[in-house]
Amino acid sequence: FASYYGDHMVLQKEPAGAVVWGYGEPGAAVTVALSGDGGVIVMKKTARVKGPSGTWTTVLDPMDRGGPYALTAGQGSENVTLRDVYFGDVWLCSGQSNMAMTVLQITNASQELAAAARYPYVRVFAAAPARSDVELEDLERIDLPWSIPTAENLGHGNFTYFSAVCWLLGRYLYEALRYPVGLVEAAWGGTPIEAWSSRRALWACGLPEDAGRLAPEAPASGPALCFAPPLSPALSSDISPRWHLSGPQTPSVLWNAMIHPLLNMTLRGVAWYQGKLPPPSPAWSSPPLSRRALTGPSLLGTGEANAFLHTDRYNCTFPALIADWRWAFHVGSAGQTEPLLPFGFVQLSTYRRQSPDDSFARLRWHQTADLGVVPNARMPGTFMAVAMDLCDERSPYGRRVPGGGGARAQRRSYRIPTPAPLLFLGSIHPRDKQNVAHRLHLGARAVAYGEKGLVFQGPYPTRAVLEVSKGLLNLTYSQELVCRRKDTRAFEVCCSPQPSPCGWLPAPVVAVESRTVTLALAGCGMLVLGLRYAWAEWPCEYESCALYNTRGLPAPPFL
């Protein structure tokens, strides 16, 4: 069998058929048999080994949830049997360091690890970090083969395996679904979206050849991926010549080595947590190349990787990645993975207090394709967990302090020496992953599973009316509002004689009623060119942003 099949695995249940593949002698026939209790064969398939790849592939008939089963592949007198196989839903979890954080690192870690034994039907698998200049057919290495969850394999170490967000998402889904869930982790800290994107997706967004040595010709086939107009001259600094990408940051290398090998897998959905990275100094010309260099808390591994690399292309590169992955998994699974594969993601959390930089806010906005909420016309079948109110200033993971000192998480073999000007305060790895996963699983239940009437996102404005004579702006929201703080600088208005540059001024909250918010315009008069909410790297304290709905879900930021 291929590398990501094994004892204890979960295969995708009906209505899809699970794809199974492996290796054999070219031209030989391989018999695949699925057996139930007592060795009774419930299904048999025959596949021919193709040359010169030496691989065979078959699609199992759709199976109802449950198990255990034994899966045998035989060629002549040789056979291999996988045991304790279940059918359920398979979710792929990918991204960078906030996805790679293990259960060992999160809030209430000891309780969460102790609880692992209560979920033997949530099975876990983790691909090892790997990169390649060409698309690979199979995984090079595996960190965790298919396993029944234990405290050891959910808390193996810092930023290794298994992903806390992925585990908690799967656990919450299991509690709602009550049937097996398979979780596949493929994550690498400090990596930009370009590294996870195929050449097709990058080409669709017009990324320059020198940003990843892309071949000049367009790909011959693939999905239609036209998302954004050419980059304006005003954003030319977004592709800075000082970025010399290498190692796991090189465009397409993680797609090639960690995603392309999985395309034959039949999936139920994808969860994604990726986005931003602190900028290097001009002297920092080449990131390190070691396999783990960007996995842990370090200069280039402290967060979500696109706020300073192609930031204002993210409104193209992210929808393009989603569309391309959907197409590729659908084709790779012989049409078994649905074309509109449900795709959930985590909106960026926080990093530094009182930072004047708005790259986090821009990236959060671009994560929604500049439309504020998902699913939307440019990102159908998606769902989002807002995380901007889950800050964790004291998290020891990914902190830098003046003078080069740091938390224990930095004292690891792969720490990157940091030039003094790049030391900073703050943590980009908040430990509250329970709220992240809870919000994510609500979206999965509503969007992926079609659960009717389930509230899965916070309130969003639907209308704005200016009362010029009173100097007020009235906002109407989509849901019942709960105001947790009025004294924050949550709302700002653009009061400028021309739209650029915009002079943003606070717009204090005067009143919050059932579904309306009234703002004071700070002397703008009629000249209100823009309005934004929570437009900051650190917009509020923990669970204390200005607006929530009655179920405790925060209103997302908007512009």
Side-chain angles (χ1 to χ4, degrees), residues 285-297:
S285 60
S286 182
L289 300 181
S290 84
R291 180 167 76 94
R292 288 286 186 181
L294 301 182
T295 308

Side-chain angles (χ1 to χ4, degrees), residues 41-129:
I41 295 177
V42 297
M43 186 190 313
K44 186 174 282 189
K45 299 281 183 177
T46 302
R48 187 70 60 179
V49 180
K50 297 175 293 186
S53 67
T55 61
W56 56 267
T57 304
T58 190
V59 180
L60 302 182
D61 297 336
M63 290 289 295
D64 198 4
R65 63 195 187 190
Y69 293 94
L71 184 67
T72 299
Q75 175 187 290
S77 61
E78 299 179 48
N79 64 74
V80 177
T81 299
L82 308 179
R83 305 189 185 279
D84 192 37
V85 175
Y86 280 78
F87 286 85
D89 281 345
V90 182
W91 283 78
L92 170 64
C93 301
S94 187
Q96 56 183 113
S97 51
N98 268 298
M99 182 62 83
M101 278 184 78
T102 66
V103 182
L104 180 71
Q105 298 175 268
I106 66 173
T107 304
N108 297 326
S110 58
Q111 297 174 35
E112 298 290 0
L113 292 172
R118 300 205 303 265
Y119 299 92
Y121 301 112
V122 182
R123 304 293 174 85
V124 292
F125 174 95

Side-chain angles (χ1 to χ4, degrees), residues 140-473:
E140 283 188 338
R141 294 181 299 277
I142 293 167
D143 269 347
L144 180 68
W146 279 108
S147 303
I148 298 171
T150 65
E152 181 180 3
N153 60 33
L154 292 183
H156 181 75
N158 292 346
F159 302 98
T160 51
Y161 58 84
F162 186 77
S163 163
V165 169
C166 192
W167 163 251
L168 292 167
L169 170 63
R171 199 183 82 186
Y172 296 156
L173 285 176
Y174 173 78
E175 290 170 346
L177 301 170
R178 308 310 297 180
Y179 59 73
V181 175
L183 302 172
V184 177
E185 177 190 346
W188 193 334
T191 52
I193 195 170
E194 290 79 7
W196 297 98
S197 302
S198 73
R199 200 182 63 162
R200 287 182 303 270
L202 294 173
W203 184 269
C205 292
L207 289 178
E209 292 168 36
D210 61 2
R213 298 179 293 281
L214 301 180
E217 72 277 3
S221 63
L225 295 174
C226 298
F227 290 98
L231 199 63
S232 70
L235 300 178
S236 59
S237 62
D238 199 36
I239 307 174
S240 172
R242 65 193 172 101
W243 282 89
H244 302 289
L245 300 180
S246 59
Q249 292 186 323
T250 306
S252 299
V253 294
L254 304 187
W255 157 267
N256 291 341
M258 299 179 71
I259 301 301
H260 190 270
L262 303 177
L263 293 183
N264 290 348
M265 183 180 290
T266 308
L267 294 181
R268 184 65 182 87
V270 176
W272 174 261
Y273 196 162
Q274 187 276 336
K276 178 180 169 51
L277 172 76
S281 71
W284 195 276
S285 60
S286 182
L289 300 181
S290 84
R291 180 167 76 94
R292 288 286 186 181
L294 301 182
T295 308
S298 58
L299 168 68
L300 294 176
T302 51
E304 316 310 320
N306 276 96
F308 294 91
L309 173 66
H310 303 145
T311 304
D312 290 301
R313 285 284 180 106
Y314 207 88
N315 65 357
C316 177
T317 52
F318 190 34
L321 176 140
I322 294 171
D324 187 63
W325 281 27
R326 284 171 167 166
W327 174 83
F329 274 101
H330 179 67
V331 172
S333 65
Q336 299 303 307
T337 296
E338 61 181 281
L340 197 65
L341 177 67
F343 198 106
F345 63 95
V346 183
Q347 198 177 44
L348 291 191
S349 183
T350 54
Y351 179 31
R352 300 166 297 188
R353 253 185 217 277
Q354 299 176 336
S355 168
D357 182 35
D358 77 337
S359 61
F360 257 63
R362 283 159 47 212
L363 213 294
R364 289 186 190 117
W365 185 240
H366 295 331
Q367 284 181 293
T368 67
D370 299 353
L371 292 170
V373 289
V374 299
N376 59 47
R378 288 185 62 199
M379 299 173 66
T382 61
F383 52 96
M384 174 177 74
V386 175
M388 66 180 180
D389 66 330
L390 302 179
C391 49
D392 185 2
E393 191 174 29
R394 301 191 178 192
S395 170
Y397 305 110
R399 290 171 60 85
R400 289 279 181 188
V401 296
R408 61 182 173 84
Q410 289 177 277
R411 298 195 296 270
R412 300 188 57 155
S413 60
Y414 51 71
R415 185 179 65 179
I416 301 170
T418 310
L422 293 177
L423 301 180
F424 40 75
L425 272 171
S427 175
I428 200 153
H429 298 120
R431 289 166 291 180
D432 179 0
K433 293 298 190 273
Q434 289 88 342
N435 263 314
V436 169
H438 174 72
R439 294 171 184 179
L440 203 56
H441 110 282
L442 290 177
R445 286 167 57 188
V447 174
Y449 293 96
E451 193 169 326
K452 303 298 182 186
L454 180 68
V455 177
F456 67 98
Q457 54 191 346
Y460 200 73
T462 59
R463 189 166 180 248
V465 177
L466 188 64
E467 289 190 65
V468 180
S469 60
K470 297 180 180 178
L472 300 176
L473 183 62

